[in-house]
Amino acid sequence: MIETSTGQRTLEVSLGERSYPIHIGPGLLGEPDALAPWLAGRQVMVVTNEVVAPLYLERCRASLPADAEVRELVLPDGEATKTLESVSRIWNALLEAGFNRRCTLVALGGGVIGDMVGFAAACYQRGVAFIQVPTTLLSQVDSSVGGKTGVNHTLGKNMIGAFWQPRAVLIDTETLVTLPAREFSAGLAEVIKYGLIRDADFLGWLEGAMADLRALAPAALIRAIECSCTLKAQIVAEDETEQGVRALLNLGHTFGHAIEAHQGYGKWLHGEAVGAGMLMAAELSARLGWLDESGVSRVRNILAAAGLPLSAPADMSVEDFLVRMRLDKKNIDSRLRLILLRALGDACLSDETTPEQLDALIEAFPRA
Ligand code: NAD
Ligand code: GLY
C-alpha cells in the first residue's frame, strides 16, 4: 500500500500482467488526467446512468486527456436495467461510434453500471479495456474490484457474465456525500462481510466506528474502504475465478439473492438482502454448533447499527427461498453449498447443512 500526504491510498490487485491499482481518496475524480494512465488508446466511452450523470459526468470528463475522443452513454437507473438489453445498448453505441479494439470503457456509477460495463468490455471485439469509477459505497468496497461482470436473468441474479478485470479502479470517497443513506447502509453490509469472513480485528473496529461511518467521517471512511479493498484484493489474487476461497465473499448472498429475485430486482437493495442473508447464515452457523448466541448477537447488532434489515420479506415462504437457492452457482451436483461462520472472522464453504436444518432455519427466521 502507498500513502500520500493528501490522504490518498493506492493498493494493488496482484494478477501478474493483469495486475491493476486501486486508488482511494477524496477528490480524485476531476483531477486533470486522473484517468489518462490507463487508457488503451484515444477512444473513450464513459457509461453512466441518469442519476450519476448530472452529479459526476463533468468531473469524469475533466479527468480525461484533452485529446481523447470521448463518447458518453447515459443509461436508465436501477437494478432492473441490469440486463442484456442494456449491454446491447453499450455495444450499439460503440459500433455506431466506430470504436476499435483499442477503445476504453469507463464505468461511472454503482455496481449496476460497473457490472454491465465490465461485461460489455469483456465481449466487445473479444475484450477491450475498462476502468472502474465506483460512486456507491458498495461498488467502492466490492463490485469494482475483482473482475466479476455480468447481468441478471429473469431466472437468477448475475447468471450471465464473465471474469474481466479492469485496468484500474478510481475511488473518489467524496462521491459518497450525495449517496442516499439507505444506499450507504447497503454498502456497509459488504464492509461488515469482510470482517465476518476474514478479519475479526476489522470487525471489532467496525463495531466502534459505525456511527462515524454513517456520519461520513473522512478518516473512518478511508479506513473502511481501504481495509475492505485490501481484503478483497488478497482474496482475488489468491483465487481469481472462484475455485476456492473467493466463494467466501458470498457470505449471505445465497439467501440474499433469493430475496432479491423473489421480490423483483430493485425492491430490496442488494446490500440489504445480503445483510439479512448474513444474519441467516450466522443463525444457521449457530444451529450447527459453530457460533454461540453472543456471536449471533454481535452480527445482529452490527447489522442493526448499520441500518440494515434484520428480517426477511413477510411474503416469502420456505419454498420461495429454496427454489431460488437451488439455482445458486456454488451448488455442485444439486448439493446446496453455503458460506457459514465457524467463528466471527472465519468463514467456510459448507455442504454440511441438512435439508431439515435449512428448512427449520428459514421457517424460524423473522419476517417483516
Ligand atoms: P446501484 O449501482 O444501483 O447504485 C445504487 C443507487 O445509487 C442507484 O440509484 C445509483 O444511480 C445511485 N448512485 C450511484 N452513485 C451515486 C452517488 N454518488 N450519489 C447519489 N446516487 C448515486 O447499486 P450498488 O449497490 O452500487 O450495486 C449493486 C449491484 O452490484 C448489484 O447488481 C450487485 O449484483 C452488484 N455487485 C457486484 C459485485 C461484483 O463483484 N461484481 C459485488 C457486489 C455487488
Ligand atoms: N462479490 C463477490 C466476489 O467478487 O467474488
Side-chain angles (χ1 to χ4, degrees):
M1 194 263 293
I2 300 168
E3 183 175 351
T4 68
S5 55
T6 56
Q8 296 178 6
R9 310 278 201 278
T10 298
L11 315 171
E12 187 187 66
V13 183
S14 300
L15 290 168
E17 62 186 17
R18 290 175 297 110
S19 296
Y20 55 93
I22 306 171
H23 292 299
I24 308 167
L28 288 179
L29 193 60
E31 279 184 8
D33 282 347
L35 295 167
W38 305 292
L39 301 180
R42 288 185 56 248
Q43 297 176 330
V44 182
M45 173 84 64
V46 181
V47 185
T48 186
N49 73 25
E50 290 164 348
V51 172
V52 178
L55 297 169
Y56 300 113
L57 190 50
E58 189 60 47
R59 285 189 217 178
C60 190
R61 268 184 220 128
S63 289
L64 289 164
D67 67 347
E69 183 190 339
V70 182
R71 304 294 167 100
E72 290 158 3
L73 178 64
V74 180
L75 295 171
D77 183 35
E79 183 74 34
T81 69
K82 196 172 135 179
T83 60
L84 265 187
E85 288 71 31
S86 299
V87 172
S88 279
R89 284 191 59 186
I90 302 175
W91 290 327
N92 291 344
L94 290 165
L95 287 166
E96 281 160 16
F99 273 20
N100 60 36
R101 295 172 87 174
R102 292 193 64 224
C103 70
T104 307
L105 274 62
V106 176
L108 174 68
V112 167
I113 284 290
D115 281 13
M116 287 196 295
V117 173
F119 186 55
C123 302
Y124 186 66
Q125 303 201 3
R126 299 200 180 88
V128 295
F130 87 111
I131 300 171
Q132 290 273 19
V133 184
T135 60
T136 62
L137 180 61
L138 183 141
S139 57
Q140 295 183 351
V141 298
D142 191 355
S143 62
S144 65
V145 175
K148 275 192 183 176
T149 72
V151 294
N152 299 326
H153 188 278
T154 45
L155 292 181
K157 171 109 177 128
N158 295 330
M159 280 291 157
I160 313 295
F163 286 99
W164 191 247
Q165 300 294 341
R167 288 263 180 121
V169 182
L170 189 92
I171 300 175
D172 182 346
T173 50
E174 277 180 4
T175 59
L176 298 176
V177 168
T178 53
L179 192 67
R182 187 178 163 202
E183 297 287 352
F184 189 82
S185 288
L188 285 173
E190 305 283 6
V191 176
I192 292 165
K193 176 186 79 176
Y194 293 108
L196 289 175
I197 63 175
R198 188 121 153 164
D199 193 334
D201 290 343
F202 181 45
L203 185 70
W205 175 79
L206 278 175
E207 287 171 322
M210 205 42 83
D212 284 348
L213 285 169
R214 292 185 74 185
L216 303 187
L221 263 188
I222 297 255
R223 178 160 177 190
I225 294 169
E226 181 189 349
C227 287
S228 300
C229 287
T230 301
L231 288 162
K232 177 129 193 201
Q234 283 168 0
I235 291 172
V236 169
E238 281 172 46
D239 177 22
E240 182 182 7
T241 57
E242 200 169 308
Q243 307 304 309
V245 67
R246 185 164 180 172
L248 302 183
L249 290 172
N250 292 312
L251 175 67
H253 285 56
T254 309
F255 295 109
H257 284 170
I259 294 173
E260 281 185 276
H262 178 266
Q263 295 301 100
Y265 296 122
K267 292 216 180 80
W268 274 52
L269 302 181
H270 175 72
E272 292 173 334
V274 167
M278 291 195 295
L279 185 54
M280 295 179 89
E283 292 194 358
L284 189 52
S285 305
R287 284 172 185 259
L288 293 173
W290 295 345
L291 276 194
D292 59 16
E293 194 38 51
S294 75
V296 177
S297 290
R298 280 183 67 189
V299 177
R300 193 178 294 114
N301 291 343
I302 194 167
L303 293 171
L308 288 160
L310 304 175
S311 46
D315 64 345
M316 249 184 115
S317 68
V318 173
E319 191 53 25
D320 288 334
F321 270 98
L322 295 178
V323 165
R324 306 286 184 177
M325 290 172 71
R326 287 188 199 109
L327 282 173
D328 191 85
K329 293 191 281 299
K330 287 184 294 304
N331 298 337
I332 293 179
D333 297 338
S334 76
R335 262 189 99 83
L336 199 62
R337 302 198 307 163
L338 293 167
I339 312 303
L340 298 176
L341 295 171
R342 288 202 180 277
L344 298 185
D346 181 13
C348 63
L349 178 61
S350 164
D351 62 2
E352 289 165 60
T353 310
T354 64
E356 293 73 27
Q357 285 169 319
L358 187 59
D359 285 5
L361 174 275
I362 299 173
E363 183 71 49
F365 196 75
R367 303 292 200 278

